[in-house]
Amino acid sequence: MRINIDSQIPIFIQLAEIVEDNILNGIYDEETQIPSTTEVAVALKVNPATINRGVNLLVERGIVYKKRGVGMFVCNGAREKIRARRRKAFLSDFLQPLLEEARNLGISKSEVIAMLNGYNSEETNQRRSADE
Amino acid sequence: MEKTLQTLRWYLSQYMARLLLIALLCAVGGVILSDLAFYSTGGYELKNVVQTLPYELIATVFAWIAGGSFFIPQFKMALANGVSRKTYLLACLPAIAAFAAALSIFGLILAWVHSLFWPAVLITNVLYPLNGWFGVALVQFAAYFLMTVFGCFIAILMYRSNGLARWVLLLAPVWFYIILVADASDAGRVMQALIGYLRLTLGFVVMEAPNPYIAVLSLSVYAFITSGIIYLMMRRVPLKME
Amino acid sequence: MSDIEIRHVSKAYGKTKALKDVSVAITGAKVYGLLGRNGAGKTTLLNILTNRIFADSGEIRVDGESAMENDRAQAKIFYMTEQTLYPKNMRVRNVFQLTRGFYPSFDLTYAHALAERFQLRPESRIGALSTGYLSIFKLILTLASNAPVMIFDEPVLGLDANHRDLFYRELLARYQAAPNTVILSTHLIEEAAALLEEVIILKEGQVLFARPVDELLQLAYVVSGSQENIDRYAKGKRVIREEALGRYKSITIYQPCSSADQEMLARLGLDQAPARLQELFINLTN
């Protein structure tokens, strides 16, 4: 896990995003425990209060829940919730910047669509794993 | 709070014990040297002549040095541990008393051991007509206690002074000497007054029958006053780093 | 943890006024950052709090009682000073032992464990330690003291990157295990920023700010974009930093961003980002 202190995104949101990423990737399974505030604070060198804000955000979103005296666990159905929320945000988070950049570069929408159609994700994945 | 005081006393005593060890080694060395000197000049025939041990002189100087050397470093250490100045001083006094008591008792032991193979007497015995060991110990104790406190006083005085004042203080023996020289040319009135004063406070009003208990009393009063002055000088002294 | 109340404290050295009527409260188990440029009065304030020196006027209360020459109040504070106040010939091990006498909560086992992790030999004499190891020695003392108030003055002075990292981690672990009031006085703001919950910024002997980091950061924001648009946007706003690179310009605006501002930003196609503590600090204390 890595936090970018210089980022425009507040640390507690970054933290929530990281946990969500890990849930999506299956690193944290549903109904399993995630690291405690203490562990995370020490690992990331971030004030525990900030970590708690991130955790509270996840609790609000229904992604994790606290078991008193035990720790924090991933909610049942958390993965689906994250997906649903991110799907909604996909347009503003990913498509919009993509189209803005395309416009800056003078790439037309149809060219972008052509690129997307021609994009072979498997090939890219192979290249990426070869790099690693 | 009791705990703080205990810790400080324990620690200071330990520290003073080390100084004591050095003092005692030097004192024993001094006594042996004086024996050797006596032996080589007078020959073995003098073995029945009573030796005056230089122990108290050495011990007094050491008491002074001990006071001067421990006071400020330990004060800083106490400050680092959140000890107030008053508590520090309160812890110092018993440690100094223990130090002075140890020095005086060791003097008695040394004299006793020495007289097993060569008759010996302490300076205190020479000065005052004392019969029991207690009186000798008491006079010594008062002297060492005062000298150690006085060492502390010099230390805090130096600590509070800036560069120039420090030099003036360091050269105190020189000033004293100049005063004496000037005084000598003026019929030695200052010197006379000083001697008179010392005779009075050290119990030599009647030269033939000196009273050691007047000396003990005066020395204690001096120590008490010096401690009071030290407290006043310490009360608001800021931490300084050299 | 303890509550510290600093009331109208002033201190002058000759004609230089080191602190001018400083009033600030430090409350509860939080990590405070005491920030300020050299000579801003950070160390003077901490020295007064811990009886190293005395204020000319004003008072400091720890849990309601005066801190001045008060053993009970002082026993709650462990202050890692930049100076070394231990006799040079003392050994690290002995200082640990001694500190436990003064601070009953001092954790001897932990102190030795930390010494091992920092590769500080307990047999070393204080006088023989390098600058870095002196810092390590003192920060171990402070961490292990378990005092309700732990004050670190420039804790990472002379420490290499690994040791700095280790320190920040240990500090947080310690803080969580036993929540105490932690005061970090440092000029390495960037490094410590994420650790802090509250900041107190001193400038020329006065308190410029004393509030949660979040609130401080919300007071300002960074805007960047083309020069013309930036200038248009900045009109009538309080700009505390300007940086231009050709036609690109970035400014820091020291006032909250209203919704009208948000709209204008969008319309002008400007990028907005939160201000960073370090940046804000530099610009405010300049």
Side-chain angles (χ1 to χ4, degrees):
Chain A
M1 285 201 273
R2 185 164 288 159
I3 290 280
N4 184 1
I5 289 169
D6 292 346
S7 163
Q8 306 185 5
I9 304 158
I11 295 173
F12 76 98
I13 293 181
Q14 288 185 49
L15 180 88
E17 296 287 324
I18 291 171
V19 175
E20 285 190 352
D21 283 347
N22 286 341
I23 293 172
L24 275 185
N25 295 340
I27 293 175
Y28 303 142
D29 256 333
E30 287 175 3
E31 293 300 333
T32 60
Q33 196 168 2
I34 63 168
S36 68
T37 310
T38 313
E39 286 173 273
V40 179
V42 171
L44 300 179
K45 291 186 278 176
V46 168
N47 190 295
T50 313
I51 306 289
N52 275 332
R53 280 182 73 187
V55 171
N56 289 341
L57 185 67
L58 289 171
V59 172
E60 266 170 42
R61 286 178 180 171
I63 305 298
V64 300
Y65 63 97
K66 290 178 189 169
K67 258 194 210 168
R68 264 198 94 77
V70 186
M72 283 168 312
F73 290 81
V74 178
C75 295
N76 218 339
R79 202 167 292 162
E80 205 33 61
K81 267 184 209 159
I82 297 168
R83 254 188 221 129
R85 198 183 52 77
R86 289 200 177 181
R87 238 178 243 135
K88 261 188 234 164
F90 187 73
L91 187 72
S92 60
D93 286 358
F94 292 91
L95 273 188
Q96 216 162 297
L98 176 84
L99 292 174
E100 256 170 52
E101 179 70 1
R103 199 179 51 222
N104 285 343
L105 298 175
I107 302 170
S108 73
K109 206 185 262 180
S110 51
E111 275 175 293
V112 174
I113 293 168
M115 274 185 214
L116 282 174
N117 285 333
Y119 180 79
N120 188 339
S121 60
E122 262 174 43
E123 197 178 283
T124 321
N125 277 344
Q126 274 165 10
R127 207 180 304 148
R128 196 181 296 159
S129 52
D131 284 347
E132 279 167 8
Chain B
M1 233 14 52
E2 208 32 51
K3 175 95 175 145
T4 302
L5 209 55
Q6 270 173 21
T7 305
L8 204 54
R9 275 191 196 140
W10 168 81
Y11 174 67
L12 286 173
S13 313
Q14 278 215 327
Y15 189 83
M16 299 293 274
R18 253 172 288 160
L19 286 175
L20 187 70
L21 196 69
I22 302 172
L24 296 183
L25 284 175
C26 284
V28 170
V31 167
I32 291 172
L33 271 179
S34 105
D35 278 357
L36 283 175
F38 203 48
Y39 179 77
S40 60
T41 51
Y44 193 61
E45 301 81 62
L46 290 172
K47 75 166 192 260
N48 290 321
V49 176
V50 175
Q51 251 269 51
T52 305
L53 299 178
Y55 175 79
E56 283 115 309
L57 286 180
I58 299 170
T60 305
V61 171
F62 255 99
W64 188 65
I65 294 174
S69 67
F70 92 89
F71 196 63
I72 296 301
Q74 301 312 321
F75 165 58
K76 288 179 181 167
M77 190 281 301
L79 270 189
N81 286 294
V83 178
S84 68
R85 289 152 179 78
K86 201 165 117 191
T87 306
Y88 174 66
L89 205 59
L90 282 178
C92 278
L93 292 175
I96 293 173
F99 177 72
L103 270 182
S104 76
I105 289 168
F106 189 78
L108 294 178
I109 296 172
L110 187 73
W112 177 70
V113 171
H114 195 279
S115 54
L116 287 182
F117 48 91
W118 195 339
V121 67
L122 289 164
I123 299 171
T124 313
N125 274 119
V126 177
L127 291 177
Y128 298 107
L130 283 159
N131 290 320
W133 60 271
F134 185 73
V136 182
L138 199 64
V139 173
Q140 280 191 75
F141 171 79
Y144 301 147
F145 187 82
L146 173 65
M147 281 315 277
T148 317
V149 170
F150 190 65
C152 298
F153 169 70
I154 298 291
I156 186 80
L157 200 63
M158 292 289 276
Y159 181 72
R160 294 212 63 162
S161 315
N162 53 24
L164 184 71
R166 245 174 232 201
W167 275 107
V168 173
L169 274 174
L170 274 176
L171 294 174
V174 178
W175 311 136
F176 188 65
Y177 183 74
I178 292 174
I179 289 171
L180 285 191
V181 169
D183 180 50
S185 61
D186 185 28
R189 260 183 301 181
V190 173
M191 197 62 190
Q192 287 298 324
L194 196 65
I195 290 171
Y197 178 73
L198 283 178
R199 270 182 59 182
L200 190 73
T201 57
L202 295 180
F204 290 95
V205 182
V206 185
M207 248 347 204
E208 294 71 34
N211 186 342
Y213 298 103
I214 290 184
V216 171
L217 187 71
S218 319
L219 293 176
S220 305
V221 168
Y222 293 155
F224 183 76
I225 293 173
T226 314
S227 308
I229 295 173
I230 291 175
Y231 173 66
L232 290 178
M233 292 181 78
M234 289 269 293
R235 226 169 61 88
R236 288 288 175 269
V237 71
L239 173 71
K240 281 204 282 187
M241 293 312 292
E242 324 289 302
Chain C
M1 59 176 201
S2 282
D3 293 338
I4 299 170
E5 234 195 303
I6 297 165
R7 293 182 190 159
H8 307 292
V9 167
S10 295
K11 172 79 183 172
Y13 295 108
K15 278 185 180 164
T16 339
K17 284 183 177 152
L19 293 176
K20 299 172 209 159
D21 195 32
V22 168
S23 292
V24 68
I26 295 170
T27 49
K30 285 183 217 156
V31 182
Y32 279 83
L34 180 61
L35 313 176
R37 300 183 62 188
N38 284 336
K42 289 173 290 178
T43 303
T44 303
L45 186 63
L46 294 177
N47 276 340
I48 292 173
L49 168 62
T50 54
N51 278 202
R52 281 7 177 212
I53 57 175
F54 295 96
D56 296 336
S57 60
E59 69 161 352
I60 298 181
R61 296 189 156 265
V62 176
D63 292 335
E65 54 181 350
S66 170
M68 194 167 82
E69 281 289 86
N70 180 346
D71 291 311
R72 199 169 34 208
Q74 293 300 329
K76 294 176 183 165
I77 307 173
F78 198 99
Y79 176 29
M80 170 187 170
T81 13
E82 46 185 333
Q83 311 111 335
T84 307
L85 300 174
Y86 301 91
K88 282 197 167 64
N89 61 352
M90 231 175 143
R91 290 179 198 279
V92 168
R93 176 169 51 85
N94 296 339
V95 180
F96 286 171
Q97 205 89 45
L98 178 70
T99 309
R100 196 169 63 156
F102 292 111
Y103 294 87
S105 55
F106 186 85
D107 189 338
L108 202 58
T109 327
Y110 176 66
H112 277 283
L114 266 189
E116 203 176 311
R117 295 181 64 184
F118 277 103
Q119 294 128 355
L120 171 70
R121 286 180 42 245
E123 295 306 313
S124 311
R125 290 186 193 275
I126 307 305
L129 298 175
S130 65
T131 315
Y133 271 96
L134 263 180
S135 292
I136 288 172
F137 156 69
K138 286 183 285 187
L139 62 85
I140 290 176
L141 277 181
T142 317
L143 282 171
S145 73
N146 267 331
V149 182
M150 301 197 276
I151 307 177
F152 298 88
D153 195 3
E154 296 299 353
V156 294
L157 197 75
L159 262 63
D160 65 23
N162 293 351
H163 282 155
R164 288 215 294 267
D165 189 73
L166 184 55
F167 165 65
Y168 292 130
R169 284 170 204 275
E170 279 304 327
L171 176 65
L172 283 174
R174 205 67 190 155
Y175 169 66
Q176 301 226 60
N180 292 318
T181 308
V182 175
I183 304 175
L184 270 177
S185 170
T186 180
H187 62 257
L188 295 174
I189 299 167
E190 201 77 319
E191 263 186 34
L195 273 79
L196 308 178
E197 216 172 324
E198 301 257 347
V199 279
I200 297 168
I201 299 182
L202 289 182
K203 184 187 181 183
E204 287 160 15
Q206 284 173 311
V207 179
L208 202 58
F209 269 107
R211 33 175 116 199
V213 180
D214 292 346
E215 272 180 41
L216 180 61
L217 292 181
Q218 271 164 21
L219 293 176
Y221 58 101
V222 176
V223 185
S224 55
S226 74
Q227 195 177 357
E228 310 86 77
N229 285 347
I230 287 285
D231 289 344
R232 202 178 309 160
Y233 181 75
K235 201 163 286 171
K237 294 192 172 66
R238 195 170 160 202
V239 177
I240 56 169
R241 184 193 62 105
E242 268 184 67
E243 223 173 81
L245 256 177
R247 275 194 59 230
Y248 169 86
K249 197 168 177 184
S250 159
I251 58 170
T252 303
I253 289 170
Y254 183 57
Q255 64 188 56
C257 190
S258 68
S259 50
D261 291 336
Q262 290 282 11
E263 272 170 36
M264 193 173 176
L265 284 170
R267 206 173 55 239
L268 294 172
L270 298 173
D271 285 328
Q272 185 209 347
R276 277 154 49 198
L277 186 57
Q278 164 97 332
E279 202 172 50
L280 205 53
F281 172 79
I282 291 175
N283 289 296
L284 288 173
T285 53
N286 238 336

